[in-house]
Amino acid sequence: MNKQEQLNAIKEDFINCQKVLLAIGDETRQAILLVLMGTDCQTGLRVGEITEQTHLSRPAVSHHLKILREAGVILMRKEGTKNFYYINVRSELGSLKTLVQHIEEFMQKNY
C-alpha cells in the first residue's frame, strides 16, 4: 500500500470513528463509562444507580446515555418498565483500535 492509499485508509478510519470519538471525548460520558465498567453488576445499571455514583442529575445521565447508545458504546436492556445500561463489549470501540494501528503503521513506514 502506498502513502496515499494509507492516508485514505486512515481518513476512512476517522470517518468510521467519528461518533465514538465524540461520545467518549466528553468528560461526563467518560465518568459514566467508568461507573459502568467499575460495577460488578453483570445485568447493567439503571439511571438512578448511575446518578448516585456520578452526582449528575437524572436528565443529564439520560442525555449522556442516549449519546453513548447512539454511538454503539453501550447497550440497554429492558426489564418491564426498567432500563438497564451496560458496556457493549462488541462495540464500535474496536474501530478506534484499528485507527490507532493504521496511524502507527503509517508513522513507522513513513517517518
Side-chain angles (χ1 to χ4, degrees), residues 74-111:
I74 65 170
L75 297 172
M76 182 190 72
R77 178 180 59 80
K78 277 189 163 302
E79 193 174 290
T81 59
K82 299 174 184 174
N83 297 329
F84 294 86
Y85 297 89
Y86 58 97
I87 299 288
N88 180 5
V89 293
R90 292 183 180 84
S91 75
E92 300 298 318
L93 291 173
S95 61
L96 293 177
K97 186 177 179 180
T98 301
L99 170 64
V100 171
Q101 286 174 336
H102 286 163
I103 291 172
E104 286 176 342
E105 289 168 10
F106 178 83
M107 297 304 288
Q108 288 173 356
K109 203 179 235 186
N110 295 289
Y111 295 99

Side-chain angles (χ1 to χ4, degrees), residues 1 14 17 19 30 39 42 58 88 92 94 96:
M1 194 183 294
F14 272 120
C17 292
K19 277 188 172 183
Q30 291 168 10
T39 183
Q42 298 298 316
R58 290 178 72 87
N88 180 5
E92 300 298 318
L96 293 177

